[in-house]
Amino acid sequence: MMRRGYIIIIFLFLGFSCISKKALVSQEGYVEVNGGRIWYEVYGSGTKPPVLLLHGGPGGTSFGFEPLKELGYDGPIIFWDQLGSGRSSALTDTTLMTIENYVDQVERLREHLKLEDFVLYGHSWGTMLGMDYYLSYPDEVKAIIFSSPLFSTDSWIADADTLIATLPDSIQHIIRHHESMGTYEDPEYQEATKLYYSLYVTRKERPRVDRSHLNLVSGSNVYLYMWGPSEFTSTGTLRNYDRLEYLPTIKVPVLMMTGEYDEARPSTVRHYASMVPNAKFEVIPDAAHSTLNDNKKATLKVVREFLELLKM
């Protein structure tokens, strides 16, 4: 009789354990963090590992990840806006505009949702954040997707200089002149920036979506403080960011992908991938930095294939 009781207890324990791992259901909410609260949405459910998204910026939003809702993934996908942008609290305290504080936000969200063995999916600045989160909490991460990554600001600026050199001489002169003068708000500089962005950041027009009812927070101040006035000019606190020496230490499956015309140049990202043991490298054709916008179909295919290879 006692032995039967033990069997029942073990069965119930295992049953409850399985249920707890599958308890993450579609929901929307907020998590209190240092400096305010962050908005999140758990989209979908299933038996596959949760995918936690880290959007670009800093100061961007998770809206660029919306096409992932068409992924057809048998598992939860977690969207969230980092502090200081989107549906999260505004941020004006520059002492909180640190990569360490953003890593802490990721961990607070992970704890709130009780995530285990999840996939990190970072884009652009989100790859910097994802890298530093992994270095702090390697045991929590099952796999990483680095989309259009930045692991060295020096390398990023060197790539930007290469791309600027492809622009008409008159545009190059405008960019260099206003950079030397620090007159980044000049309309002439802004127009030159738009040309660069149209070639190497977003090549195809973004879908028009009315979000006026959401009362969104602009993260432009976070972007300016941490990064700088434009994608190709870094004057902020991330100017000396470099994690290249840590790439060989990554012990989980990694996908590195970038657009054919990405400001995260394919040759550079290929080199990054060669530094990570058994990393998979993919180029999204006919796409710039905004791969999910410029070539949604190809990007979803690459992401889906990588996730399907992960062992439960």
Side-chain angles (χ1 to χ4, degrees), residues 15-283:
F16 283 127
S17 297
C18 292
I19 291 173
S20 65
K21 283 192 174 183
K22 296 180 181 178
L24 195 60
V25 296
S26 296
Q27 58 183 287
E28 187 175 346
Y30 292 88
V31 177
E32 294 293 331
V33 298
N34 187 21
R37 64 178 189 169
I38 53 175
W39 169 91
Y40 73 88
E41 177 190 5
V42 178
Y43 179 84
S45 61
T47 59
K48 295 285 187 179
V51 178
L52 180 59
L53 306 175
L54 307 176
H55 64 69
T61 71
S62 60
F63 289 122
F65 281 128
E66 285 291 308
L68 290 175
K69 292 182 177 180
E70 303 174 35
L71 187 62
Y73 182 61
D74 183 29
I77 302 176
I78 301 148
F79 298 76
W80 66 291
D81 292 336
Q82 297 157 25
L83 192 65
S85 61
R87 287 152 286 191
S88 295
S89 299
L91 181 61
T92 57
D93 185 350
T94 57
T95 66
L96 298 179
M97 296 179 192
T98 65
I99 197 164
E100 293 80 11
N101 191 36
Y102 281 99
V103 166
D104 185 67
Q105 291 170 41
V106 180
E107 179 60 6
R108 297 286 80 76
L109 180 57
R110 185 200 68 81
E111 291 178 338
H112 177 78
L113 296 175
K114 298 180 173 58
L115 300 181
E116 296 179 1
D117 295 328
F118 63 97
V119 179
L120 271 180
Y121 182 159
H123 175 72
S124 195
W125 141 256
T127 66
M128 305 165 80
L129 177 55
M131 183 69 183
D132 276 38
Y133 179 84
Y134 175 77
L135 293 175
S136 298
Y137 303 97
D139 295 337
E140 305 296 347
V141 180
K142 184 180 184 67
I144 308 175
I145 298 174
F146 289 125
S147 171
S148 304
L150 193 167
F151 301 122
S152 163
T153 303
D154 279 345
S155 295
W156 184 272
I157 297 302
D159 278 348
D161 288 342
T162 297
L163 297 176
I164 289 173
T166 68
L167 303 178
D169 290 345
S170 58
I171 301 298
Q172 293 184 48
H173 175 74
I174 289 171
I175 290 173
R176 297 314 181 196
H177 170 71
H178 290 289
E179 284 183 333
S180 67
M181 300 295 290
T183 49
Y184 303 114
E185 297 301 321
D186 189 286
E188 193 177 49
Y189 179 81
Q190 293 296 320
E191 285 302 311
T193 299
K194 287 180 182 179
L195 175 60
Y196 181 94
Y197 284 22
S198 70
L199 295 172
Y200 304 119
V201 180
T202 307
R203 293 177 75 89
K204 297 179 181 177
E205 187 175 352
R206 292 184 182 276
R208 296 179 180 272
V209 180
D210 182 13
R211 299 191 176 101
S212 58
H213 63 288
L214 294 177
N215 193 27
L216 301 175
V217 169
S218 170
S220 58
N221 63 320
V222 180
Y223 182 87
L224 181 61
Y225 180 80
M226 294 184 69
W227 179 253
S230 72
E231 286 291 279
F232 47 77
T233 303
S234 180
T235 57
T237 57
L238 295 173
R239 179 60 186 86
N240 296 317
Y241 182 90
D242 192 307
R243 299 293 186 269
L244 294 181
E245 65 179 296
Y246 297 104
L247 288 176
T249 70
I250 299 177
K251 305 301 182 185
V252 298
V254 167
L255 166 64
M256 285 203 196
M257 63 179 181
T258 192
E260 180 182 2
Y261 305 104
D262 206 315
E263 56 183 335
R265 296 175 64 226
S267 59
T268 298
V269 178
R270 183 187 295 275
H271 173 64
Y272 291 160
S274 73
M275 299 173 69
V276 179
N278 301 314
K280 182 178 176 60
F281 170 70
E282 294 284 352
V283 174

